[in-house]
Amino acid sequence: KQEVTQIPAALSVPEGENLVLNCSFTDSAIYNLQWFRQDPGKGLTSLLLIQSSQREQTSGRLNASLDKSSGRSTLYIAASQPGDSATYLCAGTNAGGTSYGKLTFGQGTILTVHP
Amino acid sequence: ETGVTQTPRHLVMGMTNKKSLKCEQHLGHNAMYWYKQSAKKPLELMFVYNFKEQTENNSVPSRFSPECPNSSHLFLHLHTLQPEDSALYLCASSQDERRDTDTQYFGPGTRLTVL
């Protein structure tokens, strides 16, 4: 059974810092890897989707990479801002079958960016 | 109204009550999902429907009964719940769970408290 671990569980940084969030999974047969953001009391917002044939994706100040051989993904946030404060979740889909919607989530990293 | 909506946003019920959660998506998607988010546990997939057919039941107790009358609506019927069922219940949708390029769009969730 796929298990996803996120480190650190919580992170507090001053505004302007570059930071890295880590995600590791136990089964290297992962297919897609996604990063989501969740604001308090709200649903999830998709940030980046790394497809099976890709190794990284970029959107603005965000860059996510995927290394299947080591079972790891990282989310890099450049020049952090207070508005980046949220819980960041990674989730993977396993290979095999025809369903790509069955996501396995990590527990999340709570990020606080203070002015 | 756009996106994925969920009602009610908050629900308090006794263990002998029967209630239903409703999810509606306005994105023209064909796949819908129920997730459970408990404190200090990873987000957990409960059910998946693709084109109104249930494609996943993640060993969910029978006191949770999903219903998908059409591709735009998803219900979760609740009866004789336990206090440990208290959680945030999230609904999501995607174009088609068989497409590996899809991301899921989440609603804001229903905060359920079982007394």
Side-chain angles (χ1 to χ4, degrees):
Chain A
K1 179 183 176 183
Q2 179 74 271
E3 292 187 3
V4 181
T5 302
Q6 292 188 242
I7 296 174
L11 182 63
S12 180
V13 300
E15 181 177 6
E17 268 203 15
N18 301 324
L19 56 99
V20 175
L21 307 182
N22 297 291
C23 173
S24 61
F25 35 93
T26 54
D27 187 348
S28 62
I30 199 160
Y31 192 79
N32 288 352
L33 193 289
Q34 297 187 54
W35 284 91
F36 292 87
R37 167 187 173 138
Q38 185 174 28
D39 292 285
K42 297 189 177 180
L44 280 65
T45 301
S46 179
L47 297 173
L48 293 165
L49 165 62
I50 306 176
Q51 297 176 34
S52 177
S53 59
Q54 299 171 332
R55 292 180 61 89
E56 67 175 334
Q57 278 287 339
T58 298
S59 176
R61 294 182 293 108
L62 306 180
N63 175 273
S65 64
L66 174 60
D67 184 346
K68 293 185 179 181
S69 62
S70 65
R72 292 183 178 182
S73 176
T74 60
L75 177 66
Y76 176 82
I77 302 178
S80 58
Q81 304 171 358
D84 295 330
S85 298
T87 298
Y88 289 81
L89 299 156
C90 69
T93 303
N94 269 34
T98 58
S99 172
Y100 300 101
K102 298 181 177 63
L103 296 175
T104 301
F105 279 85
Q107 207 154 335
T109 294
I110 302 172
L111 173 65
T112 303
V113 181
H114 48 89
Chain B
E1 200 164 1
T2 60
V4 181
T5 59
Q6 291 186 242
T7 55
R9 294 294 309 278
H10 300 273
L11 179 62
V12 179
M13 59 187 290
M15 293 168 60
T16 58
N17 290 159
K18 288 185 179 181
K19 296 287 185 182
S20 295
L21 310 185
K22 178 183 176 182
C23 175
E24 184 174 2
Q25 58 92 5
H26 307 269
L27 301 169
H29 290 166
N30 298 295
M32 297 189 78
Y33 310 79
W34 278 119
Y35 289 89
K36 176 182 180 181
Q37 188 172 35
S38 305
K40 300 185 180 180
K41 290 180 68 176
L43 195 65
E44 184 178 15
L45 180 66
M46 299 175 71
F47 301 103
V48 181
Y49 280 82
N50 206 44
F51 290 87
K52 300 190 298 179
E53 297 296 320
Q54 187 181 109
T55 59
E56 175 73 10
N57 176 338
N58 193 18
S59 302
V60 180
S62 60
R63 58 186 183 270
F64 295 90
S65 176
E67 178 190 2
C68 188
N70 55 62
S71 293
S72 299
H73 294 86
L74 185 64
F75 296 89
L76 189 62
H77 303 300
L78 316 171
H79 62 98
T80 59
L81 293 191
Q82 305 298 312
E84 59 265 29
D85 296 322
S86 298
L88 180 68
Y89 288 85
L90 291 163
C91 173
S93 71
S94 69
Q95 185 62 45
D96 182 338
E97 70 151 339
R98 295 166 299 180
R99 286 170 32 145
D100 62 354
T101 55
D102 281 358
T103 189
Q104 293 181 24
Y105 293 80
F106 283 76
T110 294
R111 174 68 63 185
L112 174 67
T113 302
V114 182
L115 301 176

Coordinates of all heavy atoms in Angstrom, one line a residue, chain B residues 7-85:
Chain B
T7 N -22.9 21.7 0.4 CA -23.8 22.1 1.4 C -24.2 20.9 2.3 O -24.2 19.7 1.8 CB -25.1 22.7 0.8 OG1 -25.6 21.7 -0.1 CG2 -24.8 24.0 0.1
P8 N -24.4 21.1 3.6 CA -24.1 22.4 4.3 C -22.6 22.5 4.5 O -21.8 21.6 4.3 CB -24.9 22.2 5.6 CG -24.8 20.7 5.9 CD -24.9 20.1 4.5
R9 N -22.2 23.7 5.0 CA -20.8 23.9 5.3 C -20.4 23.3 6.7 O -19.3 22.9 6.9 CB -20.4 25.4 5.2 CG -20.5 26.0 3.8 CD -19.5 25.4 2.9 NE -18.2 25.5 3.5 CZ -17.4 26.5 3.4 NH1 -17.8 27.6 2.8 NH2 -16.2 26.5 4.0
H10 N -21.4 23.4 7.6 CA -21.2 22.8 8.9 C -22.5 22.0 9.3 O -23.6 22.3 8.9 CB -21.1 24.0 9.9 CG -19.9 24.9 9.7 ND1 -18.6 24.6 10.1 CD2 -19.8 26.0 8.9 CE1 -17.8 25.5 9.7 NE2 -18.5 26.4 9.0
L11 N -22.2 20.9 9.9 CA -23.3 20.0 10.3 C -23.0 19.3 11.7 O -21.9 18.8 11.8 CB -23.5 18.9 9.3 CG -24.6 17.9 9.5 CD1 -26.0 18.5 9.6 CD2 -24.6 16.8 8.4
V12 N -23.9 19.4 12.6 CA -23.8 18.8 13.9 C -25.0 17.8 13.9 O -26.1 18.1 13.7 CB -23.9 19.7 15.1 CG1 -23.8 19.0 16.4 CG2 -22.8 20.8 15.0
M13 N -24.7 16.5 14.2 CA -25.7 15.5 14.3 C -25.5 14.5 15.4 O -24.3 14.3 15.8 CB -25.8 14.8 13.0 CG -24.6 14.0 12.5 SD -24.8 13.4 10.8 CE -25.9 12.0 11.1
G14 N -26.6 14.0 15.9 CA -26.5 12.9 16.9 C -26.2 11.6 16.2 O -26.4 11.4 15.0
M15 N -25.9 10.6 17.1 CA -25.5 9.3 16.5 C -26.7 8.6 15.9 O -26.5 7.7 15.1 CB -24.9 8.5 17.6 CG -23.5 9.0 18.1 SD -22.9 8.2 19.6 CE -22.8 6.5 19.2
T16 N -27.9 9.0 16.2 CA -29.1 8.3 15.7 C -29.7 9.0 14.5 O -30.7 8.6 13.9 CB -30.1 8.1 16.8 OG1 -30.5 9.4 17.3 CG2 -29.6 7.2 17.9
N17 N -29.1 10.2 14.2 CA -29.7 11.0 13.1 C -29.4 10.4 11.7 O -28.5 9.6 11.6 CB -29.2 12.4 13.2 CG -29.7 13.2 14.3 OD1 -29.1 14.2 14.7 ND2 -30.8 12.8 14.9
K18 N -30.2 10.9 10.7 CA -29.9 10.6 9.3 C -29.8 12.0 8.7 O -30.7 12.8 8.8 CB -31.0 9.8 8.6 CG -31.1 8.4 9.1 CD -32.2 7.7 8.2 CE -32.3 6.2 8.6 NZ -33.3 5.5 7.7
K19 N -28.7 12.2 8.0 CA -28.4 13.4 7.3 C -27.8 13.2 5.9 O -27.3 12.0 5.7 CB -27.5 14.4 8.1 CG -28.1 14.9 9.4 CD -29.3 15.9 9.2 CE -29.7 16.4 10.5 NZ -30.9 17.3 10.4
S20 N -27.7 14.2 5.1 CA -27.1 14.0 3.8 C -26.2 15.2 3.5 O -26.6 16.3 3.8 CB -28.1 13.8 2.7 OG -28.8 12.6 2.8
L21 N -25.0 14.9 2.9 CA -24.2 16.0 2.4 C -24.4 16.1 0.9 O -24.5 15.0 0.2 CB -22.7 15.7 2.7 CG -22.4 15.3 4.1 CD1 -20.8 15.2 4.3 CD2 -22.9 16.3 5.1
K22 N -24.3 17.3 0.4 CA -24.5 17.5 -1.1 C -23.3 18.2 -1.7 O -22.7 19.1 -1.1 CB -25.8 18.4 -1.3 CG -26.0 18.7 -2.8 CD -27.2 19.6 -2.9 CE -27.5 20.0 -4.4 NZ -28.6 20.9 -4.5
C23 N -23.0 17.7 -2.9 CA -21.9 18.3 -3.7 C -22.4 18.6 -5.1 O -23.1 17.7 -5.7 CB -20.7 17.4 -3.7 SG -19.3 18.0 -4.7
E24 N -22.1 19.7 -5.6 CA -22.5 20.0 -7.0 C -21.3 20.7 -7.7 O -20.6 21.6 -7.1 CB -23.7 21.0 -7.0 CG -24.2 21.3 -8.4 CD -25.5 22.1 -8.3 OE1 -25.9 22.5 -7.2 OE2 -26.0 22.4 -9.4
Q25 N -21.0 20.2 -8.9 CA -19.9 20.8 -9.7 C -20.5 21.5 -10.9 O -21.4 20.9 -11.6 CB -18.8 19.8 -9.9 CG -19.2 18.6 -10.7 CD -19.1 18.6 -12.2 OE1 -18.6 19.6 -12.7 NE2 -19.5 17.6 -12.9
H26 N -20.0 22.6 -11.3 CA -20.4 23.4 -12.4 C -19.3 23.5 -13.5 O -19.2 24.5 -14.2 CB -20.8 24.8 -11.9 CG -21.7 24.9 -10.8 ND1 -23.1 24.9 -11.0 CD2 -21.5 24.8 -9.4 CE1 -23.7 24.9 -9.8 NE2 -22.8 24.8 -8.8
L27 N -18.5 22.5 -13.5 CA -17.3 22.5 -14.4 C -17.5 21.6 -15.6 O -16.5 21.4 -16.4 CB -16.1 22.1 -13.6 CG -15.8 23.0 -12.4 CD1 -14.7 22.4 -11.5 CD2 -15.3 24.4 -12.9
G28 N -18.6 20.9 -15.7 CA -18.8 20.0 -16.8 C -18.0 18.7 -16.7 O -17.7 18.0 -17.7
H29 N -17.6 18.3 -15.5 CA -16.7 17.1 -15.3 C -17.6 15.9 -15.2 O -18.8 15.9 -15.1 CB -16.0 17.3 -14.0 CG -14.9 18.3 -14.1 ND1 -14.2 18.8 -12.9 CD2 -14.3 18.9 -15.1 CE1 -13.3 19.7 -13.3 NE2 -13.3 19.7 -14.6
N30 N -16.9 14.8 -15.3 CA -17.6 13.5 -15.3 C -17.2 12.6 -14.1 O -17.8 11.5 -13.9 CB -17.3 12.7 -16.6 CG -17.9 13.5 -17.8 OD1 -19.1 13.7 -17.9 ND2 -17.0 13.9 -18.6
A31 N -16.2 13.0 -13.4 CA -15.7 12.2 -12.2 C -15.9 13.0 -11.0 O -15.7 14.2 -11.0 CB -14.3 11.8 -12.4
M32 N -16.4 12.4 -9.9 CA -16.6 13.0 -8.6 C -16.1 12.1 -7.5 O -16.1 10.9 -7.6 CB -18.1 13.4 -8.4 CG -18.6 14.4 -9.5 SD -20.2 15.0 -9.1 CE -19.8 16.3 -7.8
Y33 N -15.6 12.8 -6.5 CA -14.9 12.1 -5.4 C -15.4 12.6 -4.0 O -15.7 13.8 -3.9 CB -13.4 12.4 -5.5 CG -12.8 12.2 -6.9 CD1 -12.9 13.1 -7.8 CD2 -12.0 11.0 -7.1 CE1 -12.4 13.0 -9.1 CE2 -11.5 10.9 -8.4 CZ -11.6 11.8 -9.4 OH -11.0 11.7 -10.6
W34 N -15.4 11.7 -3.1 CA -15.6 12.0 -1.6 C -14.3 11.7 -0.9 O -13.8 10.6 -1.1 CB -16.7 11.3 -1.0 CG -18.1 11.8 -1.2 CD1 -19.2 11.2 -1.8 CD2 -18.6 13.1 -0.8 NE1 -20.3 12.0 -1.8 CE2 -20.0 13.2 -1.2 CE3 -18.1 14.2 -0.1 CZ2 -20.8 14.3 -1.0 CZ3 -18.9 15.3 0.1 CH2 -20.2 15.3 -0.3
Y35 N -13.8 12.7 -0.1 CA -12.7 12.5 0.7 C -13.1 12.8 2.2 O -13.9 13.6 2.5 CB -11.5 13.4 0.4 CG -10.9 13.2 -0.9 CD1 -11.3 13.7 -2.1 CD2 -9.7 12.4 -1.0 CE1 -10.7 13.4 -3.3 CE2 -9.0 12.1 -2.2 CZ -9.5 12.7 -3.3 OH -8.9 12.4 -4.5
K36 N -12.3 12.2 3.1 CA -12.5 12.5 4.5 C -11.1 13.0 5.1 O -10.1 12.4 4.8 CB -12.8 11.2 5.3 CG -12.9 11.4 6.8 CD -13.2 10.1 7.5 CE -13.3 10.2 9.0 NZ -13.6 8.9 9.7
Q37 N -11.2 14.1 5.8 CA -10.0 14.7 6.3 C -10.2 14.8 7.8 O -10.9 15.7 8.3 CB -9.7 16.1 5.7 CG -8.4 16.7 6.2 CD -8.0 17.9 5.4 OE1 -8.9 18.8 5.1 NE2 -6.7 18.1 5.1
S38 N -9.5 13.9 8.6 CA -9.6 13.9 10.0 C -8.4 14.6 10.6 O -7.3 14.7 9.9 CB -9.6 12.5 10.6 OG -10.7 11.8 10.0
A39 N -8.5 15.1 11.8 CA -7.4 15.8 12.4 C -6.2 14.8 12.6 O -6.4 13.7 12.9 CB -7.8 16.3 13.8
K40 N -5.0 15.3 12.2 CA -3.8 14.6 12.3 C -3.7 13.3 11.5 O -2.9 12.4 11.8 CB -3.5 14.3 13.8 CG -3.4 15.5 14.7 CD -3.1 15.2 16.1 CE -3.0 16.5 16.9 NZ -2.6 16.2 18.3
K41 N -4.5 13.2 10.5 CA -4.5 12.1 9.5 C -4.4 12.6 8.1 O -5.0 13.6 7.8 CB -5.7 11.1 9.7 CG -5.6 10.4 11.0 CD -6.9 9.5 11.2 CE -6.9 8.3 10.2 NZ -8.0 7.4 10.4
P42 N -3.8 11.9 7.2 CA -3.8 12.3 5.8 C -5.2 12.3 5.2 O -6.1 11.5 5.7 CB -2.9 11.3 5.1 CG -2.1 10.6 6.2 CD -3.0 10.7 7.4
L43 N -5.5 13.1 4.2 CA -6.7 13.1 3.5 C -6.9 11.7 2.9 O -6.0 11.2 2.3 CB -6.6 14.2 2.4 CG -7.8 14.6 1.7 CD1 -8.8 15.3 2.6 CD2 -7.5 15.5 0.5
E44 N -8.1 11.2 3.1 CA -8.4 9.8 2.7 C -9.5 9.7 1.7 O -10.6 10.2 1.9 CB -8.7 9.0 3.9 CG -8.9 7.5 3.7 CD -9.3 6.8 5.0 OE1 -9.6 7.5 6.0 OE2 -9.2 5.6 5.0
L45 N -9.2 9.1 0.5 CA -10.2 8.9 -0.5 C -11.3 7.9 0.0 O -11.0 6.9 0.6 CB -9.6 8.4 -1.8 CG -10.5 8.1 -2.9 CD1 -11.1 9.4 -3.5 CD2 -9.7 7.3 -4.0
M46 N -12.6 8.2 -0.2 CA -13.7 7.4 0.2 C -14.3 6.7 -1.0 O -14.4 5.5 -1.1 CB -14.7 8.2 1.0 CG -14.2 8.8 2.3 SD -15.5 9.8 3.0 CE -16.6 8.6 3.6
F47 N -14.8 7.5 -1.9 CA -15.6 7.0 -3.0 C -15.2 7.7 -4.3 O -14.8 8.9 -4.2 CB -17.1 7.1 -2.8 CG -17.6 6.4 -1.6 CD1 -18.0 7.2 -0.5 CD2 -17.9 5.1 -1.7 CE1 -18.5 6.5 0.6 CE2 -18.4 4.4 -0.6 CZ -18.7 5.2 0.6
V48 N -15.3 7.0 -5.4 CA -15.1 7.7 -6.7 C -16.2 7.3 -7.6 O -16.6 6.1 -7.7 CB -13.8 7.3 -7.4 CG1 -13.6 8.0 -8.7 CG2 -12.6 7.6 -6.5
Y49 N -16.8 8.2 -8.4 CA -17.8 8.0 -9.4 C -17.2 8.5 -10.7 O -16.7 9.6 -10.7 CB -19.1 8.6 -9.1 CG -19.9 7.9 -8.1 CD1 -19.7 8.0 -6.7 CD2 -21.0 7.1 -8.5 CE1 -20.5 7.3 -5.8 CE2 -21.8 6.3 -7.6 CZ -21.5 6.4 -6.3 OH -22.2 5.7 -5.4
N50 N -17.3 7.7 -11.7 CA -16.9 8.2 -13.1 C -18.1 7.9 -14.0 O -18.6 6.8 -14.1 CB -15.7 7.4 -13.5 CG -14.9 8.2 -14.6 OD1 -14.7 9.4 -14.4 ND2 -14.4 7.6 -15.6
F51 N -18.6 9.0 -14.6 CA -19.8 8.9 -15.5 C -20.9 8.2 -14.7 O -21.6 7.2 -15.3 CB -19.5 8.2 -16.8 CG -18.6 9.0 -17.7 CD1 -17.2 8.9 -17.6 CD2 -19.1 9.8 -18.7 CE1 -16.4 9.6 -18.4 CE2 -18.3 10.5 -19.5 CZ -16.9 10.5 -19.4
K52 N -21.1 8.6 -13.5 CA -22.2 8.1 -12.6 C -22.0 6.7 -12.1 O -22.9 6.2 -11.3 CB -23.6 8.2 -13.3 CG -24.0 9.6 -13.7 CD -25.5 9.7 -14.2 CE -25.7 8.8 -15.4 NZ -27.1 8.8 -15.8
E53 N -21.0 6.0 -12.5 CA -20.7 4.7 -12.0 C -19.7 4.7 -10.9 O -18.7 5.3 -11.0 CB -20.2 3.8 -13.1 CG -21.2 3.6 -14.3 CD -22.5 2.9 -13.8 OE1 -22.4 1.9 -13.0 OE2 -23.6 3.3 -14.3
Q54 N -20.0 4.0 -9.8 CA -19.0 3.9 -8.7 C -17.8 3.1 -9.1 O -18.0 1.9 -9.5 CB -19.6 3.4 -7.4 CG -18.7 3.5 -6.2 CD -19.3 2.9 -5.0 OE1 -18.9 1.8 -4.5 NE2 -20.3 3.6 -4.4
T55 N -16.6 3.6 -9.1 CA -15.4 2.9 -9.4 C -14.5 2.6 -8.3 O -13.5 1.9 -8.4 CB -14.6 3.7 -10.5 OG1 -14.3 4.9 -10.0 CG2 -15.5 3.9 -11.8
E56 N -14.8 3.2 -7.1 CA -14.0 3.0 -5.9 C -14.8 3.1 -4.7 O -15.6 4.1 -4.5 CB -12.8 4.0 -5.9 CG -12.0 3.9 -4.6 CD -11.0 2.7 -4.6 OE1 -10.9 2.0 -5.6 OE2 -10.4 2.5 -3.6
N57 N -14.7 2.1 -3.8 CA -15.2 2.2 -2.4 C -14.0 1.8 -1.6 O -13.6 0.6 -1.6 CB -16.4 1.3 -2.3 CG -16.9 1.2 -0.8 OD1 -16.2 1.6 0.1 ND2 -18.1 0.8 -0.6
N58 N -13.4 2.7 -0.9 CA -12.2 2.4 -0.2 C -12.5 1.9 1.2 O -12.1 2.4 2.2 CB -11.4 3.7 -0.1 CG -9.9 3.5 0.4 OD1 -9.4 2.4 0.3 ND2 -9.3 4.5 0.9
S59 N -13.2 0.7 1.2 CA -13.5 0.0 2.5 C -14.2 0.9 3.5 O -13.9 0.9 4.7 CB -12.2 -0.6 3.1 OG -11.6 -1.4 2.2
V60 N -15.1 1.7 2.9 CA -15.9 2.7 3.8 C -17.0 1.9 4.5 O -17.7 1.2 3.8 CB -16.4 3.8 2.9 CG1 -17.2 4.8 3.8 CG2 -15.3 4.5 2.2
P61 N -17.2 2.2 5.8 CA -18.3 1.5 6.5 C -19.7 1.9 5.9 O -19.9 2.9 5.3 CB -18.2 2.1 7.9 CG -16.8 2.6 8.0 CD -16.4 3.0 6.7
S62 N -20.6 0.9 6.0 CA -21.9 1.1 5.3 C -22.8 2.2 5.9 O -23.8 2.5 5.3 CB -22.7 -0.2 5.4 OG -22.9 -0.6 6.7
R63 N -22.4 2.8 7.0 CA -23.1 3.9 7.5 C -22.9 5.2 6.7 O -23.6 6.2 6.8 CB -22.8 4.2 9.0 CG -21.3 4.5 9.2 CD -21.0 4.6 10.7 NE -19.7 4.9 11.1 CZ -18.7 4.0 11.3 NH1 -19.0 2.7 11.2 NH2 -17.5 4.4 11.6
F64 N -22.0 5.1 5.7 CA -21.8 6.1 4.7 C -22.3 5.5 3.4 O -21.8 4.5 2.9 CB -20.3 6.5 4.5 CG -19.7 7.2 5.8 CD1 -19.1 6.4 6.7 CD2 -19.8 8.5 5.9 CE1 -18.6 7.0 7.9 CE2 -19.2 9.1 7.0 CZ -18.6 8.4 8.0
S65 N -23.3 6.2 2.8 CA -23.9 5.7 1.6 C -23.9 6.8 0.5 O -24.6 7.8 0.6 CB -25.3 5.3 1.8 OG -26.0 4.9 0.6
P66 N -23.0 6.6 -0.6 CA -23.0 7.6 -1.6 C -24.1 7.5 -2.6 O -24.6 6.4 -2.8 CB -21.6 7.4 -2.2 CG -21.4 5.9 -2.1 CD -22.1 5.5 -0.8
E67 N -24.4 8.6 -3.3 CA -25.3 8.5 -4.4 C -24.9 9.5 -5.5 O -24.6 10.7 -5.1 CB -26.7 8.9 -3.9 CG -27.8 8.9 -5.0 CD -29.1 9.5 -4.6 OE1 -29.2 9.9 -3.4 OE2 -30.0 9.5 -5.4
C68 N -24.9 9.1 -6.7 CA -24.5 10.0 -7.8 C -25.6 9.9 -8.9 O -25.5 9.1 -9.8 CB -23.1 9.6 -8.4 SG -22.4 10.8 -9.6
P69 N -26.6 10.8 -8.8 CA -27.7 10.7 -9.7 C -27.4 11.2 -11.1 O -28.0 10.8 -12.1 CB -28.8 11.6 -9.1 CG -28.0 12.6 -8.3 CD -26.8 11.8 -7.8
N70 N -26.4 12.1 -11.2 CA -25.9 12.5 -12.5 C -24.5 13.0 -12.3 O -24.0 13.1 -11.2 CB -26.8 13.6 -13.1 CG -27.0 14.8 -12.2 OD1 -26.1 15.5 -11.8 ND2 -28.3 15.0 -11.7
S71 N -23.8 13.4 -13.4 CA -22.4 13.8 -13.3 C -22.1 15.1 -12.6 O -21.0 15.3 -12.2 CB -21.8 13.9 -14.7 OG -21.8 12.6 -15.4
S72 N -23.2 15.8 -12.3 CA -23.0 17.1 -11.7 C -23.3 17.1 -10.2 O -22.9 18.0 -9.5 CB -23.9 18.2 -12.3 OG -23.6 18.4 -13.6
H73 N -23.9 16.0 -9.7 CA -24.3 16.0 -8.3 C -23.8 14.7 -7.6 O -23.8 13.6 -8.2 CB -25.8 16.0 -8.2 CG -26.4 17.3 -8.6 ND1 -26.7 17.6 -9.9 CD2 -26.7 18.5 -7.9 CE1 -27.2 18.8 -10.0 NE2 -27.2 19.4 -8.8
L74 N -23.4 14.9 -6.4 CA -22.9 13.8 -5.6 C -23.4 14.0 -4.2 O -23.3 15.1 -3.6 CB -21.4 13.7 -5.6 CG -20.7 12.5 -4.9 CD1 -21.1 11.2 -5.6 CD2 -19.2 12.7 -4.8
F75 N -24.0 12.9 -3.6 CA -24.5 13.0 -2.2 C -23.7 12.0 -1.3 O -23.3 10.9 -1.8 CB -26.0 12.7 -2.2 CG -26.8 13.7 -2.9 CD1 -27.1 13.5 -4.3 CD2 -27.4 14.8 -2.2 CE1 -27.9 14.4 -4.9 CE2 -28.1 15.7 -2.9 CZ -28.4 15.5 -4.3
L76 N -23.7 12.3 -0.1 CA -23.2 11.3 0.9 C -24.3 11.2 2.0 O -24.4 12.2 2.8 CB -21.9 11.7 1.5 CG -21.1 10.7 2.3 CD1 -20.8 9.4 1.6 CD2 -19.9 11.3 2.9
H77 N -25.0 10.1 2.1 CA -26.0 9.9 3.0 C -25.4 9.3 4.3 O -24.6 8.3 4.2 CB -27.1 9.0 2.5 CG -27.7 9.5 1.2 ND1 -28.4 10.7 1.1 CD2 -27.7 8.9 0.0 CE1 -28.8 10.9 -0.1 NE2 -28.4 9.8 -0.8
L78 N -25.7 9.8 5.4 CA -25.1 9.5 6.7 C -26.2 8.9 7.7 O -27.3 9.5 7.8 CB -24.5 10.7 7.4 CG -23.7 11.6 6.4 CD1 -23.3 12.9 7.2 CD2 -22.4 10.9 5.9
H79 N -25.9 7.8 8.3 CA -26.9 7.3 9.3 C -26.1 6.5 10.4 O -25.2 5.8 10.1 CB -28.0 6.5 8.7 CG -27.5 5.3 7.9 ND1 -27.5 4.0 8.5 CD2 -26.9 5.1 6.7 CE1 -27.0 3.1 7.7 NE2 -26.6 3.8 6.6
T80 N -26.6 6.7 11.6 CA -26.0 6.0 12.8 C -24.5 6.2 12.8 O -23.7 5.2 12.9 CB -26.4 4.5 12.9 OG1 -25.9 3.8 11.7 CG2 -27.9 4.4 13.1
L81 N -24.0 7.4 12.7 CA -22.6 7.7 12.7 C -22.0 7.6 14.1 O -22.8 7.6 15.1 CB -22.3 9.0 12.1 CG -22.6 9.2 10.6 CD1 -22.0 10.5 10.1 CD2 -22.1 8.1 9.8
Q82 N -20.7 7.5 14.2 CA -20.0 7.5 15.4 C -19.2 8.8 15.7 O -18.9 9.5 14.7 CB -19.0 6.3 15.4 CG -19.6 4.9 15.1 CD -20.6 4.5 16.2 OE1 -20.4 4.6 17.4 NE2 -21.8 4.1 15.7
P83 N -18.9 9.1 16.9 CA -18.1 10.3 17.1 C -16.8 10.4 16.3 O -16.4 11.5 15.9 CB -17.9 10.3 18.6 CG -19.0 9.6 19.2 CD -19.3 8.5 18.2
E84 N -16.2 9.2 16.1 CA -14.9 9.2 15.3 C -15.1 9.6 13.9 O -14.1 9.7 13.1 CB -14.2 7.9 15.5 CG -15.0 6.7 15.0 CD -15.7 6.0 16.1 OE1 -16.1 6.7 17.1 OE2 -15.9 4.8 16.0
D85 N -16.4 9.7 13.4 CA -16.7 10.1 12.0 C -16.6 11.6 11.9 O -16.7 12.1 10.8 CB -18.0 9.6 11.6 CG -18.1 8.0 11.6 OD1 -17.1 7.4 11.2 OD2 -19.1 7.5 11.9

